[in-house]
Structures are given as structure tokens and as C-alpha cells.
Amino acid sequence: MKLGYCSITWGGVVGHPQGVTSVKDLFYLTHGPMDRAVADIAQAGYEGVEMFDGNLAAYADKPEELRSILDKAGVSLVSVYTGANFIYADILPDELHRIERAAELAATFGAERLVVGGGARRAAGTTDEDYKRLGEALDRVADIAEAAGLSASYHPHLSTIVESPDELEKLMPLTRIGFCPDTAHLAAGGGDPAAVIRQYPDRIRHVHLKDFRKDPFAFLPLGEGELDFPDIVAAIKESGYDSWLMVELDEYDGDPKAAAEISRKYLQQLLP
């Protein structure tokens, strides 16, 4: 297994303001400097990085600048994260247009994987039809990714219609897209991350590792929360997955490089 880190910790996550009036431009963004994030990730001992689609879009007209940042640090762009509502028919074409753009950019910069979250919760409540629409949209995301030479996976996430194990179970038969377990989001949604991984061993295409504390709620560097990572790693190995483990830490107020180093040191002790 190879270890990578997500750039979200260097500035947190926002949506591009243009997306307020133009759905096709509603990229995710990390406001921190990508050159510093990539350098810190490399210095902390990771081999790869995951970025948001909006951060790649910022380099669309100056691709050599991002390639230079990656090459200088000696890390590769492994994966790109994006998301959408997916359940509203009228805006779905524009959402898929943006995801297609994200996939094109990911391929341009040498990424292997496209990771998506989403499935909006309606104010009036979630319906079974929403899961059907989400599943159909995710199949189209898989098609988009494959056309760009990427592997696509779905990431259950708080605030979407796929938070809990029961909600994930509703979705999985409705789509062929791969599965990206995020250990902290699975736990925050009421699941046992290792058990969920063991439930879908053949669907795992990508992995996000982060720790979690329930009360008071917090995402934390690995080894500083409540999650049983020896069992989680055992479950990943049992599934046959033997590829990138991406450490992620969002909503964190501490120093991002120090947090990356804490998680790397923990994984050095955990992994042979």
C-alpha cells in the first residue's frame, strides 16, 4: 500500500462563488496555497496527494506550474475530489458537465482516480426516488471517469442522503460505481468503518483514512480519536485492496503539516 494525503487541510473547503449563479462552475476549492500543501505533504513522508476539482481548475491555463509543484516535491497527483446534488433533473446536465471537466483535468495532471460525494437532502425529506436518481447519476459519473482513463468511486458523506450504513445499503445495489470508504464519515454516520468495509470488499476502489471523536465532535489526526485503525486496516487487507491509502483531515484548526506528520508516524507503527 502507498500513502497519500489530501490537500483540504491547507485552507479548508469552500465552493466557488460563481456557482451561486452557475451550477456548471460550482467547483470545490481549498483556499490554502497548493505549493505549500504539496511541499508539506511530501516532507511529511507521503508519496501522493488528492486535490479538489476547483484547485485543478485554477491551473487549467497554466498546467506547467502545477506539474512543477508536483515534480519539485516528488509526489504524484493520485486523485481528484468533486461532488454534486445529483437528484435534481433540471441541473444534472450542468453538474455532469462540471464533473466531466474535473475528470479531464484529473487526467491532464496524471491522476488515477475520481472521487465523488453527494446526493442532496431535500427540505421536504428524502424519497426512494432520490436514491434511484443518485444511483443513475453515479453510473454516468463512472462512464465519465472511464472515458478519461480514471477509476471512479463514491464517498459517503455527512449532510448527504448517504450518511448511515442503512442509507449506503439503499444506494449500493442501484449503481456500479466503486466505493470510497471514509473512516470518519462512516463512524459519524453511525457505522463501524471496518464492518462497512467488510460488507463491500469487492467495491472498494479508493480509501480515505481519518480519525474521529464523537463528543465533542471532531475530525482528528490518525491515532488521536476513537476509531479502531488496526481493525480497519485488517478489513482493507481482507478485501484485497492493495493500493493508495489517502489520509484526510478536514475541519481542523491546528497546523496542517504537523497533523500530517502525526498521522504518518501513526501509520508507520501500524503498517509493516
Side-chain angles (χ1 to χ4, degrees):
M1 295 185 187
K2 295 179 287 186
L3 302 181
Y5 207 90
C6 300
S7 63
I8 183 174
T9 321
W10 284 259
V13 58
V14 296
H16 195 292
Q18 191 171 334
V20 175
T21 54
S22 177
V23 171
K24 69 179 180 60
D25 299 306
L26 187 52
F27 291 101
Y28 281 126
L29 283 168
T30 292
H31 271 322
M34 287 299 97
D35 55 349
R36 178 190 164 196
V38 170
D40 285 353
I41 287 167
Q43 290 168 15
Y46 298 89
E47 301 175 72
V49 62
E50 178 172 308
M51 292 182 181
F52 285 126
D53 52 358
N55 291 103
L56 288 195
Y59 291 97
D61 296 328
K62 46 182 181 179
E64 292 309 315
E65 185 173 333
L66 180 56
R67 291 193 182 103
S68 176
I69 290 170
L70 295 166
D71 291 346
K72 183 178 179 180
V75 301
S76 59
L77 179 67
V78 176
S79 44
V80 175
Y81 190 95
T82 185
N85 293 281
F86 290 125
I87 66 168
Y88 305 120
D90 285 353
I91 66 170
L92 182 60
D94 279 356
E95 291 184 322
L96 293 176
H97 171 87
R98 176 172 47 75
I99 289 171
E100 186 169 3
R101 180 65 173 141
E104 291 170 353
L105 287 167
T108 295
F109 291 107
E112 305 170 12
R113 300 172 184 178
L114 184 70
V115 190
V116 298
R121 287 197 182 274
R122 299 178 189 268
T126 301
T127 67
D128 288 340
E129 180 67 17
D130 290 339
Y131 288 99
K132 180 181 177 183
R133 290 183 179 186
L134 175 58
E136 291 171 350
L138 291 175
D139 281 350
R140 295 178 67 179
V141 170
D143 291 340
I144 289 169
E146 289 164 7
L150 307 172
S151 172
S153 57
Y154 178 74
H155 177 307
H157 203 288
L158 295 179
S159 81
T160 73
I161 62 173
V162 185
E163 294 185 357
S164 71
D166 289 346
E167 290 168 341
L168 182 61
E169 196 166 350
K170 286 182 181 180
L171 173 68
M172 290 297 269
L174 302 176
T175 179
R176 67 181 184 85
I177 199 169
F179 174 40
C180 172
D182 180 297
T183 54
H185 279 276
L186 291 174
D192 174 346
V196 175
I197 289 166
R198 289 186 172 104
Q199 188 173 356
Y200 303 105
D202 297 334
R203 300 287 293 272
I204 297 174
R205 299 292 179 270
H206 196 56
V207 174
H208 277 188
L209 299 179
K210 64 171 167 277
D211 214 336
F212 169 70
R213 183 182 63 218
K214 185 175 182 179
D215 188 19
F217 182 99
F219 293 135
L220 296 166
L222 302 187
E224 296 200 343
E226 303 168 357
L227 300 191
D228 185 351
F229 279 101
D231 194 33
I232 289 169
V233 170
I236 293 168
K237 290 180 178 179
E238 289 165 17
S239 76
Y241 180 87
D242 187 19
S243 187
W244 287 99
L245 300 177
M246 306 302 294
V247 181
E248 186 186 33
L249 183 59
D250 43 325
E251 299 181 23
Y252 185 69
D253 294 331
D255 178 68
K257 183 179 180 182
E261 291 169 342
I262 290 168
S263 291
R264 182 68 180 90
K265 184 176 181 180
Y266 178 82
L267 286 171
Q268 283 180 312
Q269 298 171 346
L270 183 60
L271 297 172

